[in-house]
Amino acid sequence: MSTALDPNSVHACRESCGACCIAPSISSAIPGMPNGKPAGVRCVQLGEDLRCAIFGDPRRPACCTGLQPSESMCGDSRAYALAWLTQLEVDTQPERA
């Protein structure tokens, strides 16, 4: 179910999603993953409830803290969010020589 959002409001995370903790790569250290994580790999801090176990913790990587859910990123389903974030990962990879 999708709802229209006020562009000034904060988009709440969808329950049972966790797409942002799976699809993107993270190059900085995460507690339990000192070398970060590759794209498509589930973060060790993603709980069984698909919520971040270190949300609000100062050890949480800045890239995670800076990623804010939005209607364009999250869409109306977990599958949409996974696909969108996976494509963003592909689109932002450095060009290879």
Side-chain angles (χ1 to χ4, degrees), residues 14-23 42 46-50 73-86:
R14 176 183 300 106
E15 281 193 50
S16 301
C17 183
C20 59
C21 300
I22 299 168
R42 182 186 176 107
L46 183 61
E48 290 303 314
D49 62 353
L50 297 175
M73 177 175 78
C74 302
D76 60 4
S77 69
R78 179 176 192 256
Y80 176 94
L82 281 166
W84 193 92
L85 286 162
T86 298

Side-chain angles (χ1 to χ4, degrees), residues 29-32 45 52-66:
I30 304 164
Q45 296 299 330
C52 177
I54 58 171
F55 189 87
D57 185 311
R59 298 173 301 155
R60 188 172 178 226
C63 62
C64 297
T65 303

